[in-house]
């Protein structure tokens, strides 16, 4: 498999996030990706490449132009308010809920930050935009690499910040640019008639779901902690099945806290059966490993060895596959768990 690693990822390094009523050190840290790279050095699975820059038109096919312009300039706006802000992160604290105006961009920076976000757990830092844009480039390059004869079966966007919570014009859940959606859109634009996105992160991929909710050409399937108790809370229920032309093209498989691999794998079988019935030309896997039993913020019970089987089951779909890296906060186990998925996939895809 081909691996596109984000060379700018470490520039996005938040200091603090709001968690259970207090500011705590960020869970989504650069070391997560460094552990995956270290494990890939021990167990190489393919060439590791740098991606060319991502086309703005592709980003704008996924995200609103005014949102992208905001992300791109947010740090400068933040520091322009007060040079001392350079030592802080920009963290949202006010949001327009139902009945508020979202069509106008407020003149106040904190209000703009709130307009384009949905939680106080996602700090925006000096290197956030560069990291997010370079991550999208990895996703786009991974998709491109699957086109043509002699293409590999799979390609990986090894990147952070993650992407699956980011929607057309909002960030949150540590996500800014939706890398899985960028990959799916790129696959469509390069000729795939139908693309399936399978989200195996512990958390519902609300951003990805909302981006494709009214489209029949991209099937979105997510296996995740039940949103009645688990983040992102306000989306991810089983009765969300798509709308308009997209009706029937979204599948949510919420599972209770405490779910083990046997139960989880049964949901994966349901997900893969739906994907097979859709008969896509390509698959995007939003790969989070926060389903791990040792994850500090999640509550499933997958063991490291289970990720080999998870990868093999996904390979069983028999599709050209792009993986994007999403969550996983048991940092020291991150390399083993992610590389196990990829190795399990490769071994079964042979
Ligand atoms: C709340 C928890 C965010 C979860 C992020 C994640 N700050 N999403 O892993 O997949
Ligand atoms: Zn997650």
């Amino acid at each position: 498999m081909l691996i596109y690693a984000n060379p700018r990822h470490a520039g996005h390094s938040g200091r603090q996030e709001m968690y259970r009523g207090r500011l705590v050190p960020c869970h989504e840290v650069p070391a997560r990706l460094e552990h995956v790279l270290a494990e890939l050095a021990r167990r190489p699975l393919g060439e590791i490449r740098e991606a060319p820059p991502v086309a703005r038109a592709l980003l704008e096919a996924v995200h609103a132009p005014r949102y992208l312009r905001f992300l791109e300039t947010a740090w400068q706006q933040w520091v322009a308010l007060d040079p001392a802000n350079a030592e802080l992160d920009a963290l949202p604290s006010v949001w327009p809920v139902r009945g508020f105006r979202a069509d106008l961009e407020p003149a106040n920076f904190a209000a703009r930050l709130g307009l384009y976000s949905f939680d106080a757990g996602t700090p925006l830092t000096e290197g956030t935009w560069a990291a997010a844009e370079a991550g999208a480039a990895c996703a786009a390059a991974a998709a491109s690499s699957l086109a043509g004869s002699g293409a590999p079966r799979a390609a990986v966007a090894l990147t952070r910040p993650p992407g699956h919570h980011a929607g057309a014009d909002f960030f949150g859940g540590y996500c800014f640019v939706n890398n899985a959606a960028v990959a799916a859109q790129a696959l469509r634009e390069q000729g795939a008639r139908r693309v399936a996105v399978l989200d195996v992160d512990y958390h519902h991929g609300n951003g990805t779901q909302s981006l494709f909710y009214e489209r029949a050409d991209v099937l979105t399937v997510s296996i995740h902690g039940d949103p009645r108790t688990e983040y992102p809370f306000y989306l991810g229920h089983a009765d969300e099945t798509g709308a308009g032309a997209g009706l029937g093209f979204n599948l949510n498989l919420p599972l209770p806290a405490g779910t083990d691999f046997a139960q989880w794998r049964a949901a994966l079988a349901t997900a893969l059966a739906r994907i097979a019935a859709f008969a896509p030309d390509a698959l995007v896997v939003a790969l989070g490993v926060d389903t791990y039993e040792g994850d500090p913020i999640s509550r499933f019970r997958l063991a490291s060895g289970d990720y080999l089987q998870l990868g093999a089951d996904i390979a069983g779909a028999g599709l050209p596959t792009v993986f994007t890296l999403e969550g996983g906060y048991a940092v020291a186990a991150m390399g083993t768990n992610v590389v196990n998925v990829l190795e399990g996939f490769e071994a079964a895809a042979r």
Side-chain angles (χ1 to χ4, degrees), residues 17-19 119 121 164-165 173-174 201 203 231 290 297 326-329:
E17 64 179 81
M18 181 62 82
Y19 184 69
D119 71 19
H164 73 151
H165 294 302
Y174 315 153
D201 187 277
H203 304 94
Y231 187 91
D290 39 12
I297 64 168
E326 306 293 344
Y329 309 98

Side-chain angles (χ1 to χ4, degrees), residues 49-145:
R49 291 190 183 170
E50 255 193 52
V54 63
R56 186 71 172 203
L58 179 59
L59 289 182
E60 291 189 357
V62 173
H63 294 287
R66 74 171 193 171
Y67 171 66
L68 294 169
R69 279 194 300 273
F70 172 76
L71 284 184
E72 210 170 2
T73 57
W75 182 258
Q76 289 89 307
Q77 295 178 42
W78 171 241
V79 175
L81 287 177
D82 179 350
N85 283 353
E87 302 306 316
L88 304 170
D89 300 333
L91 203 56
S93 59
V94 61
W95 296 274
V97 296
R98 295 153 298 282
F100 281 89
R101 293 280 296 268
D103 57 325
L104 300 174
E105 257 200 346
N108 178 284
F109 177 78
R112 278 199 301 287
L113 193 64
L115 175 65
Y116 292 122
S117 67
F118 68 92
D119 71 19
T122 310
L124 196 152
T125 77
E126 183 167 16
T128 297
W129 170 251
E133 188 185 35
C138 293
S144 303
S145 76

Side-chain angles (χ1 to χ4, degrees), residues 17-299:
E17 64 179 81
M18 181 62 82
Y19 184 69
R20 296 183 180 168
R22 64 178 114 183
L23 288 169
V24 303
C26 286
H27 291 96
E28 202 290 288
V29 293
R32 299 174 58 246
L33 197 138
E34 300 302 336
H35 275 95
V36 179
L37 285 168
E39 189 64 19
L40 282 170
R42 283 190 282 272
R43 285 191 276 161
L45 289 173
E47 196 188 326
I48 300 183
R49 291 190 183 170
E50 255 193 52
V54 63
R56 186 71 172 203
L58 179 59
L59 289 182
E60 291 189 357
V62 173
H63 294 287
R66 74 171 193 171
Y67 171 66
L68 294 169
R69 279 194 300 273
F70 172 76
L71 284 184
E72 210 170 2
T73 57
W75 182 258
Q76 289 89 307
Q77 295 178 42
W78 171 241
V79 175
L81 287 177
D82 179 350
N85 283 353
E87 302 306 316
L88 304 170
D89 300 333
L91 203 56
S93 59
V94 61
W95 296 274
V97 296
R98 295 153 298 282
F100 281 89
R101 293 280 296 268
D103 57 325
L104 300 174
E105 257 200 346
N108 178 284
F109 177 78
R112 278 199 301 287
L113 193 64
L115 175 65
Y116 292 122
S117 67
F118 68 92
D119 71 19
T122 310
L124 196 152
T125 77
E126 183 167 16
T128 297
W129 170 251
E133 188 185 35
C138 293
S144 303
S145 76
L146 299 185
S149 59
R153 206 10 235 295
V156 186
L158 202 55
T159 188
R160 53 171 293 285
H164 73 151
H165 294 302
D169 62 359
F170 56 83
F171 67 91
Y174 315 153
C175 302
F176 297 87
V177 170
N178 194 314
N179 303 309
V182 167
Q185 182 65 25
L187 288 162
R188 282 286 292 119
E189 291 179 10
Q190 73 195 33
R193 284 161 301 177
R194 286 180 301 282
V195 176
V197 181
L198 171 62
D199 191 320
V200 299
D201 187 277
Y202 180 77
H203 304 94
H204 174 246
N206 62 290
T208 320
Q209 169 173 312
S210 67
L211 283 162
F212 297 113
Y213 207 60
E214 298 189 21
R215 286 173 57 171
D217 58 328
V218 179
L219 170 72
T220 44
V221 180
S222 181
I223 305 169
H224 50 265
D226 191 327
R228 287 179 296 180
T229 58
E230 307 308 297
Y231 187 91
F233 307 117
Y234 309 109
L235 210 63
H237 300 271
D239 65 353
E240 296 154 16
T241 57
L247 188 62
F249 296 95
N250 185 74
L251 176 63
N252 284 331
L253 299 166
L255 297 170
T259 291
D260 66 11
F261 186 57
Q263 296 164 281
W264 193 93
R265 196 176 176 211
L268 179 61
T270 303
L272 291 170
R274 177 68 190 97
I275 290 166
F278 180 63
D281 294 319
L283 176 66
V284 176
V285 178
L287 175 60
V289 292
D290 39 12
T291 50
Y292 176 54
E293 57 189 352
D295 196 90
I297 64 168
S298 309
R299 300 197 282 169

